[in-house]
Amino acid sequence: MGHWFYRNIVEPGKLPLLLALAAFVLTFLITRTVTRLIRAGKGPFGNVSSGGLHIHHVVPGVVLTVVGGFGSVASSQQTGAGTAVFAVVFGMGAGLVLDEFALILHLDDVYWTEDGRKSVEVVVLTAALLLLVLGGFAPLGVNDLSEDERDDRRLFLLFLAVNFCFVLVSLFKGKLRMAIIGTLVPFVALIGALRLARPASPWAKRLYRSRPRSRARATLRAFRHDKRWSGPRRRFQDLIGGAPDRLPAARDPDPR
């Protein structure tokens, strides 16, 4: 295990990426835990305000991302404790920023609304892509490879490239979650690429325009899929990021 870690993480220079990913995921989990405690009125935590202005955690996140990013660039010529520290700082900042991705997208405080679920999805997507980069065998930076090892790495990189094409097709077909899982689990993206596109996806709008039967089948399949999986998916998102606020039911203005 130690030999594999050195050859595939340390020697190719991917240790800072590993530290940044760990800091990113840990910061997101801690932040979500704290915000859920604040929401429930438990613990010693509270919102940060200055002069009546609520300061969202995206603000320190931007500061940490800038410091970590520029620090990583400045220390890129040497790998040492400084590079590791800046990688951790950058990962922490990215975790804080992407935890409020929905706020940046909507320019509104939608953290505990349905739109706020986009932040959780973006964080999961980012972590999945970083794991793909981290787990992939990088031939650059690894010294003294045998011919068999070089062939194995070329074959592995070719497999990654082909799988990435399937991921792109799945994305164009509107199958975001299958594309995310497909970046880590082989053949999942292939299934998404072969199945019918979702009716609102770019693929369906472009290629199903003159194919009414395919468009109808895609609409029916999407309806059945959402009916079956919307509940488990929402429960999983609620488990990670917390359930959004439920809007009160509208009252009948004339109760008679």
Side-chain angles (χ1 to χ4, degrees):
M1 182 63 183
H3 177 70
W4 180 93
F5 183 81
Y6 178 81
R7 290 293 298 274
N8 294 283
I9 300 296
V10 177
E11 192 173 354
K14 291 192 291 185
L15 182 58
L17 179 61
L18 174 62
L19 295 174
L21 175 60
F24 171 77
V25 173
L26 187 60
T27 299
F28 169 75
L29 294 176
I30 292 175
T31 302
R32 280 282 165 168
T33 301
V34 171
T35 54
R36 293 169 76 170
L37 289 174
I38 294 175
R39 185 191 188 194
K42 300 178 181 179
F45 308 104
N47 292 321
V48 179
S49 301
S50 177
L53 176 66
H54 173 60
I55 300 177
H56 294 271
H57 51 267
V58 68
V59 177
V62 170
V63 174
L64 291 175
T65 303
V66 171
V67 172
F70 281 111
S72 298
V73 172
S75 60
S76 60
Q77 299 301 322
Q78 51 184 343
T79 55
T83 303
V85 170
F86 284 124
V88 171
V89 171
F90 180 82
M92 293 171 60
L96 292 172
V97 170
L98 292 187
D99 184 50
E100 295 208 282
F101 172 82
L103 180 147
I104 301 173
L105 179 64
H106 294 277
L107 294 179
D108 192 13
D109 189 1
V110 294
Y111 195 83
W112 293 119
T113 67
E114 288 292 329
D115 291 330
R117 293 179 182 272
K118 294 184 178 68
S119 297
V120 179
E121 293 184 353
V122 168
V123 168
V124 174
L125 173 61
T126 302
L129 293 177
L130 288 176
L131 279 173
L132 175 66
V133 175
L134 188 65
F137 289 157
L140 300 179
V142 180
N143 301 320
D144 301 328
L145 287 176
S146 67
E147 190 61 33
D148 291 339
E149 288 177 322
R150 292 182 187 275
D151 291 339
D152 290 342
R153 289 173 184 269
R154 292 192 191 102
L155 183 62
F156 186 80
L157 290 175
L158 177 62
F159 174 79
L160 287 181
V162 173
N163 189 66
F164 183 70
C165 293
F166 293 139
V167 169
L168 290 180
V169 174
S170 296
L171 285 175
F172 279 113
K173 286 192 170 185
K175 302 178 182 297
L176 175 62
R177 294 172 185 86
M178 293 194 75
I180 295 174
I181 298 174
T183 59
L184 299 174
V185 183
F187 305 114
V188 173
L190 173 61
I191 297 174
L194 294 178
R195 292 174 66 86
L196 284 170
R198 293 188 66 86
S201 66
W203 186 284
K205 292 179 179 178
R206 190 174 189 87
L207 299 180
Y208 295 171
R209 188 180 307 168
S210 57
R211 298 166 59 187
R213 291 186 60 184
S214 297
R215 190 165 60 248
R217 288 174 57 207
T219 302
L220 180 60
R221 180 170 292 180
F223 172 76
R224 291 175 175 173
H225 177 273
D226 293 343
K227 184 179 180 179
R228 178 184 301 173
W229 294 106
S230 60
R233 183 172 64 245
R234 290 172 64 88
R235 287 192 290 271
F236 176 72
Q237 292 175 341
D238 293 347
L239 178 65
I240 297 177
D245 293 330
R246 307 301 180 188
L247 296 177
R251 294 183 178 180
D252 188 350
D254 187 2
R256 290 178 299 176

